[in-house]
Amino acid sequence: MTNRPARILVTGFSVFPGAPVNPTEALAGILRDDPPQGEGIEAFRAEVLAVEYETIAGRLSAIGREFMPDIAIHFGLARECAGFRLERVARNSHAHARPDQSGAMPVAAQVCAGPETLPSTLPLDRIADGLRKAGLPVEWSDDAGGYLCNTVFTLSAAHACDGLRPLMTGFIHVPPLKEAEPDNATAMGIDDLVAGARIAIGACAAAWAESGQEESPAEPGFL
């Protein structure tokens, strides 16, 4: 296999009930306007996803068909976290779902066909080391929640969306934005948020190059 540079997708979310400002929306916009570059990156794309159960799979499918990412790093807001929360496991369930931004609830009990849990395939230890070296806080989690964050994580890890079949994929939660909540002790400034995201992207690109991956598998593999 050749060490072909990676096609990297980053996603964030728009606002949703209880979150009039979503830091990952700003993050995606900044990365879109000033994309990361380097020898390990063939192409980069950043997208903002609507917090809607009904449309999320179709949106991811459209992005996948258009861009065909090798790596997908999904970001979302978790108000209770105090750093970059690295999610280790996606749970294929809507058991703890709550209404989305349109007030709708998911129809099915499962997110998609596939196993009950799917692991992140991002180089999480490498990402964590990079964040810590930069003085940025890191948390770990085995539960990505019951909202659209977990839904996207599951769909991406299960290769359940047409075209979206990344060999590396996972989810990272971030705290509220300091600029929007200056009195929140655990909120994070936009500069730190962007710096941490760039560290995660760089770690993934480096891991991809070292792995010698060339193309996504022909069939989805549930781990």
Side-chain angles (χ1 to χ4, degrees):
M1 290 188 178
T2 63
N3 287 348
R4 175 179 61 78
R7 300 177 64 81
I8 301 177
L9 169 69
V10 164
T11 69
F13 281 106
S14 62
V15 299
F16 57 90
V21 175
N22 193 326
T24 66
E25 182 173 24
L27 171 64
I30 290 170
L31 293 176
R32 182 177 57 243
D33 293 341
D34 184 15
Q37 299 178 358
E39 292 183 2
I41 301 175
E42 177 183 289
F44 177 84
R45 184 163 174 173
E47 294 286 345
V48 176
L49 307 174
V51 184
E52 295 179 350
Y53 294 108
E54 184 178 359
T55 63
I56 195 67
R59 178 86 169 99
L60 289 173
S61 292
I63 294 170
R65 288 192 299 268
E66 293 168 7
F67 187 64
M68 296 183 293
D70 303 303
I71 300 170
I73 312 170
H74 305 290
F75 288 89
L77 167 65
R79 292 199 58 83
E80 71 280 7
C81 70
F84 288 89
R85 180 178 290 175
L86 307 182
E87 299 292 348
R88 287 179 284 222
V89 180
R91 300 188 182 278
N92 191 0
S93 171
H94 284 308
H96 303 290
R98 62 183 193 271
D100 64 16
Q101 67 179 11
S102 68
M105 291 284 287
V107 176
Q110 261 192 325
V111 175
C112 61
E116 292 183 0
T117 61
L118 299 108
S120 172
T121 49
L122 299 181
L124 295 180
D125 288 335
R126 188 172 196 151
I127 293 171
D129 287 345
L131 292 171
R132 291 193 187 102
K133 287 177 182 177
L136 297 170
V138 178
E139 298 179 359
W140 293 90
S141 169
D142 293 319
D143 186 352
Y147 205 35
L148 270 293
C149 294
N150 180 69
T151 300
V152 167
F153 187 4
T154 301
L155 290 171
S156 188
H159 294 174
C161 297
D162 183 27
L164 188 69
R165 306 167 64 78
L167 282 175
M168 288 186 191
T169 187
F171 203 96
I172 300 175
H173 272 116
V174 300
L177 197 61
K178 192 69 172 177
E179 286 79 355
E181 301 183 20
D183 297 328
N184 185 337
T186 60
M188 182 177 290
I190 189 64
D191 289 346
D192 283 346
L193 178 62
V194 173
R198 291 188 184 278
I199 288 169
I201 293 165
C204 291
W208 171 270
E210 291 171 7
S211 73
Q213 298 288 358
E214 186 171 12
E215 60 183 16
S216 297
E219 296 294 335
F222 298 121
L223 303 179

